[in-house]
Amino acid sequence: MSTATASIRPGAVLADLLPAAAGARALARDTALVVGGAALTGLAAQFSLPVHGSPVPVTGQTFAALLVGTALGARRGTASLGLYLLAGMAGLPWFSEGASGAGLATLGYVIGMVLAAGLVGALARRGADRGPLRTAGAMLLGNLAIYAVGVPYLAASIHVPLSRAADLGLYPYLLGDGLKIAVAMGALPLAWRLVGRRG
């Protein structure tokens, strides 16, 4: 174990490795992380591919939301995705395909992302982003949280049974989710190893 890895306090997430700050400087740093995480999610949402017959596009939005939650931890991650949700509902066009507003059929997925960011952030504080298999488990649970809200919300919004909403807003995306999880399995543990080597 490297000196840097050994010196990282238990329960740390990647954002905690930034230079320490206190008082107003700590608040400014955390605010920048929260706003930056929301902006990253909004940017990733613009990488969008429509799915024939479904109102739910394939985007980089969910992947970004899970990475933000994992890197920032539960409190800052939830705040970041909460900001993303509220600003988009208020009219900022940074949901998928430049959409905004509170009446979108896909809004449930964004609400689910807020919950997922908190969940994966809490798991990251328990070391879930330090190894490939633990990272995969955290990302899987995060995706389940998103679908647990998004699919029922979609069903209610477009007035279809839950099974039909799953056909439209769940099953076509599982392969892509698997690929995103595979990327996270490599990227997050690698980030921790690089931090150790820098020490």
Side-chain angles (χ1 to χ4, degrees):
M1 181 180 292
S2 72
T3 304
T5 303
S7 67
I8 296 170
R9 65 177 174 79
V13 294
L14 286 168
D16 294 331
L17 305 182
L18 295 171
R25 292 183 65 185
L27 178 60
R29 183 195 66 181
D30 285 352
T31 300
L33 288 170
V34 166
V35 173
L40 175 65
T41 306
L43 178 64
Q46 306 318 306
F47 294 93
S48 176
L49 293 172
V51 175
H52 179 70
S54 173
V56 185
V58 173
T59 73
Q61 182 181 29
T62 55
F63 185 59
L66 294 174
L67 287 183
V68 166
T70 304
L72 300 189
R75 181 177 55 85
R76 290 176 298 219
T78 301
S80 187
L81 271 294
L83 173 63
Y84 175 66
L85 169 66
L86 293 175
M89 290 175 65
L92 188 62
W94 64 358
F95 291 157
S96 61
E97 302 176 320
S100 64
L104 302 174
T106 55
L107 189 65
Y109 294 94
V110 184
I111 297 170
M113 288 175 208
V114 179
L115 301 177
L119 173 61
V120 297
L123 293 172
R125 288 217 177 270
R126 291 165 174 79
D129 58 341
R130 311 264 179 122
L133 292 180
R134 287 180 292 170
T135 299
M139 295 294 111
L140 178 60
L141 290 173
N143 273 288
L144 289 174
I146 294 169
Y147 287 123
V149 180
V151 174
Y153 194 102
L154 179 66
S157 295
I158 63 174
H159 309 292
V160 297
L162 193 58
S163 59
R164 178 58 180 156
D167 289 337
L168 294 172
L170 170 60
Y171 303 132
Y173 307 92
L174 296 180
L175 177 60
D177 289 340
L179 293 174
K180 294 172 190 176
I181 288 171
V183 171
M185 285 172 66
L188 291 169
L190 176 62
W192 281 107
R193 284 199 296 274
L194 291 175
V195 167
R197 288 175 187 167
R198 286 172 57 190

